[in-house]
Amino acid sequence: MASSSQVYRSTRSSSKDTKSFEEAVIQGLASDGGLFIPPVIPQVSKDTLFNKWSKLSFQELAFEIMRLYISSSEISDSELKVLVENSYSTFRSSEVTPLAKNITGNKENLHVLELFHGPTYAFKDVALQFVGNLFEFFLQRHNSNLPESEKKKLTVVGATSGDTGSAAIYGLRGKKDVSVFILYPTGRISPIQEEQMTTVEDKNVQTLSVKGTFDNCQDIVKAIFGDKEFNERHNVGAVNSINWARILAQITYYFYSYFKATGGVEGKVKFVVPSGNFGDILAGYFAKQMGLPVEKLVIATNENDILDRFLKTGYYERSDKVAATLSPAMDILISSNFERLLWFLAREYEANNDDIKAGSIVNNWFQQLREQGKFQVDNKIIDGARKDFDSERVSNEETTKTIAEIYERSTNPSKYIIDPHTSVGICAAERIIAKDKDNTIHYISLSTAHPAKFADAVNESLGKFSGYSFEKDVLPLELKKLSTLPKRLKFVERADVELVKASIEEELTKMKL
Ligand SMILES: *Cc1c(COP(=O)(O)O)cnc(C)c1O
């Protein structure tokens, strides 16, 4: 394999500078505002795919894939194996991401890739369990021979509108030399979400319930990142969806589920991915570029449809307002990871495969986005994107309708219950199946959350069926028990940066990490 695939560069950079995997992961966002990408995507032959990789367990496959993106001088084979094993030992399924095959019978070839068997019942666990272990690994190595006073400590600060905070907390709980502070708007997240975040006992975790909105919380986090002095003192870090290690960890399940769907041979496969920040489906793009013969990656969006509009018009344009939908984890104005795809498209179709030119093209686009709220790309670029991607936009009405339809139509297992994000994907998949009329194609629709986490939408769809019960049919015992555990949270009575900073410092002293 080309060793140059193991360095990283920024999507906005027009310099020759590259970073190591460790630097890209610890830094998160590049200093020019761009995202880190591996400019060389490692290639995997069909022989390796269908004679070797198709027979591997999820963990073995994760190791092989990650190995191609991380230099062994940074993380040795044995160290990487331990990181992978530890990261997926917390999952409830031995397959980590099992595939529910042919849920509506053989005619449709509709398979559901269940990504929610991690500790918080959300797809983000697949990446964040790995990222937490990786942070600890790098810090421990750095700190191993240093006296206590010189040890590097990381303070992770993030804001959540509900679902993602718990995946970050469960990824970092108990990790050495890392503390984590998650802000959420008081009274504006669901009881299950609050219970998941506030019942974690580990000393290095602190939730901050802030009297205000999610936007207030996010603004405070941004201000903290911008506060140079606070940052230097506490080494503030992020685990948000732009971290390269998250994308990397997500590549595995595209390979794994492909082999499960086709029986380990080459076949026609389309993936349908409920998308928001474009991190999940971008991992599918990497799998396809590595050589996995995927026909199409289908972007499924809710009413926040910047990606669907881009693919149809070539305009990348921010709307004025986020629509609050039934699939809140996909309620975004801008899909941050889309910038990574744009870099590869710019390089291939406008920059004659020149990394540096690609960086300056992307930099230009994002300057236009900042100044004018939009940019337009050349037809070559959209045509290039359409080779790999298709897109569908799904409304709230269709989301609830699809949850009910799948409950009624599923036979394997019968009365299969999906969450509203998964429903956006399946509704899109059904549309494509009807258009394609080709029963040799396998459709793998990604299921990104357990239905128990979005009780309101699921109950609204299924309440009309006699015999349906949320408690009995949806709620796992483990989540039910959370309501009986003591809650640990710190209340911040005003959405104010100084108050939050003071709370963090007070708690850090108590944590004595
Ligand atoms: C984060 C999330 C998504 C969207 O994934 P992206 O990587 O942001 O596109 C979809 N569904 C659920 C439940 C999520 O938590």
Side-chain angles (χ1 to χ4, degrees):
M1 288 308 148
S3 60
S4 50
S5 66
Q6 292 144 350
V7 298
Y8 291 83
R9 52 180 295 119
S10 161
T11 49
R12 297 188 195 177
S13 161
S14 11
S15 89
K16 287 208 188 77
D17 293 350
T18 58
K19 299 261 181 205
S20 68
F21 176 74
E22 175 171 358
E23 288 167 327
V25 168
I26 295 293
Q27 204 181 315
L29 189 72
S31 50
D32 55 20
L35 310 189
F36 291 114
I37 33 112
V40 179
I41 299 180
Q43 299 297 302
V44 185
S45 71
K46 290 219 168 137
D47 178 47
T48 302
L49 283 176
F50 298 107
N51 293 320
K52 298 198 183 86
W53 284 18
S54 60
K55 300 176 177 67
L56 301 181
S57 70
F58 183 97
Q59 287 87 339
E60 289 165 337
L61 198 48
F63 170 81
E64 295 295 333
I65 292 166
M66 290 173 178
R67 182 73 290 165
L68 300 177
Y69 288 94
I70 307 168
S71 156
S72 24
S73 62
E74 284 191 69
I75 302 181
S76 72
D77 281 2
S78 55
E79 289 164 338
L80 185 56
K81 278 192 183 131
V82 170
L83 282 169
V84 168
E85 281 301 325
N86 288 345
S87 301
Y88 300 115
S89 64
T90 53
F91 280 62
R92 292 176 302 280
S93 164
S94 59
E95 289 196 83
V96 184
T97 62
L99 188 70
K101 274 187 90 166
N102 289 321
I103 59 158
T104 55
N106 286 326
K107 262 198 224 117
E108 288 189 313
N109 279 335
L110 174 62
H111 316 301
V112 179
L113 174 54
E114 296 182 345
L115 301 175
F116 54 74
H117 295 283
T120 75
Y121 293 77
F123 110 88
K124 292 186 174 68
D125 288 329
V126 180
L128 285 167
Q129 286 291 302
F130 177 67
V131 169
N133 285 319
L134 204 53
F135 274 21
E136 184 180 59
F137 172 83
F138 286 136
L139 283 171
Q140 290 304 104
R141 181 161 70 187
H142 180 270
N143 290 342
S144 62
N145 292 318
L146 296 176
E148 194 57 33
S149 61
E150 286 170 36
K151 284 187 176 165
K152 186 168 170 177
K153 312 270 165 112
L154 194 65
T155 309
V156 171
V157 182
T160 184
S161 57
D163 207 40
T164 57
S166 54
I169 288 174
Y170 276 73
L172 294 169
R173 65 186 293 185
K175 298 286 180 259
K176 295 183 200 81
D177 297 330
V178 187
S179 56
V180 52
F181 293 86
I182 299 292
L183 284 64
Y184 67 91
T186 307
R188 293 182 194 233
I189 67 174
S190 81
I192 279 198
Q193 290 169 341
E194 184 169 49
E195 285 160 12
Q196 276 189 309
M197 288 197 287
T198 57
T199 54
V200 172
E201 285 176 351
D202 301 75
K203 254 182 29 194
N204 71 328
V205 173
Q206 183 62 56
T207 46
L208 299 173
S209 175
V210 179
K211 192 164 178 207
T213 63
F214 170 60
D215 284 334
N216 295 149
C217 293
Q218 212 163 19
D219 288 344
I220 292 173
V221 170
K222 275 189 204 146
I224 288 176
F225 276 96
D227 184 332
K228 217 166 157 231
E229 190 260 339
F230 190 83
N231 226 306
E232 269 164 23
R233 192 141 32 105
H234 299 297
N235 205 5
V236 180
V239 287
N240 48 18
S241 79
I242 49 92
N243 200 298
W244 164 253
R246 286 182 61 171
I247 310 291
L248 176 59
Q250 289 165 188
I251 298 174
T252 310
Y253 51 72
Y254 284 90
F255 285 91
Y256 189 70
S257 62
Y258 183 109
F259 299 139
K260 292 284 161 194
T262 65
V265 299
E266 183 168 357
K268 288 197 216 166
V269 175
K270 291 190 179 185
F271 284 98
V272 186
V273 188
S275 295
N277 265 323
F278 206 73
D280 196 356
I281 198 166
L282 184 75
Y285 175 77
F286 276 93
K288 190 167 190 287
Q289 300 305 308
M290 287 167 78
L292 188 68
V294 174
E295 297 256 307
K296 273 275 158 42
L297 298 159
V298 181
I299 304 165
T301 76
N302 62 25
E303 288 161 27
N304 298 290
D305 59 352
I306 181 166
L307 293 168
D308 186 56
R309 284 183 282 124
F310 173 82
L311 226 55
K312 292 193 165 112
T313 66
Y315 275 102
Y316 195 66
E317 182 169 19
R318 180 200 308 265
S319 14
D320 306 330
K321 227 174 120 231
V322 191
T325 72
L326 295 173
S327 42
M330 291 150 58
D331 289 347
I332 45 90
L333 283 178
I334 295 286
S335 292
S336 33
N337 278 295
F338 193 60
E339 180 168 345
R340 289 187 159 114
L341 172 66
L342 285 169
W343 187 87
F344 286 100
L345 293 172
R347 183 177 66 169
E348 184 168 354
Y349 299 105
E350 278 201 18
N352 288 320
N353 291 317
D354 181 329
D355 292 359
I356 288 169
K357 264 196 209 134
S360 73
I361 293 168
V362 171
N363 192 34
N364 250 321
W365 285 336
F366 280 83
Q367 193 175 338
Q368 287 176 46
L369 185 68
R370 272 196 309 279
E371 287 163 6
Q372 295 148 35
K374 66 176 173 199
F375 61 82
Q376 185 185 19
V377 304
D378 199 272
N379 279 338
K380 285 180 293 195
I381 302 264
I382 323 179
D383 291 344
R386 287 189 191 134
K387 279 190 202 148
D388 293 321
F389 294 94
D390 233 338
S391 72
E392 294 290 341
R393 172 190 194 273
V394 173
S395 68
N396 275 333
E397 293 68 40
E398 290 169 308
T399 305
T400 36
K401 211 169 124 220
T402 304
I403 295 174
E405 276 179 13
I406 290 298
Y407 181 78
E408 280 190 295
R409 285 181 44 222
S410 55
T411 49
N412 181 40
S414 67
K415 302 210 169 89
Y416 190 69
I417 299 175
I418 55 174
D419 101 290
H421 302 80
T422 307
S423 178
V424 168
I426 292 188
C427 180
E430 294 280 6
R431 271 191 221 157
I432 308 255
I433 291 171
K435 274 189 228 166
D436 286 347
K437 294 198 183 60
D438 178 351
N439 64 9
T440 65
I441 301 178
H442 290 280
Y443 298 87
I444 302 180
S445 203
L446 275 57
S447 176
T448 50
H450 189 285
K453 300 199 75 179
F454 297 94
D456 290 349
V458 173
N459 287 335
E460 188 186 323
S461 306
L462 302 183
K464 63 183 177 211
F465 294 102
S466 66
Y468 163 77
S469 148
F470 181 77
E471 287 256 320
K472 191 164 61 61
D473 301 334
V474 182
L475 190 63
L477 192 60
E478 197 187 355
L479 290 183
K480 194 172 168 175
K481 275 198 222 139
L482 290 179
S483 64
T484 63
L485 301 178
K487 281 198 188 122
R488 206 163 61 81
L489 60 92
K490 195 175 175 82
F491 188 64
V492 181
E493 73 243 30
R494 234 173 337 111
D496 177 272
V497 189
E498 295 308 318
L499 275 183
V500 170
K501 274 165 42 188
S503 294
I504 292 177
E505 294 200 312
E506 189 188 328
E507 291 302 318
L508 276 174
T509 321
K510 285 192 213 155
M511 286 174 185
K512 289 203 206 70
L513 289 173

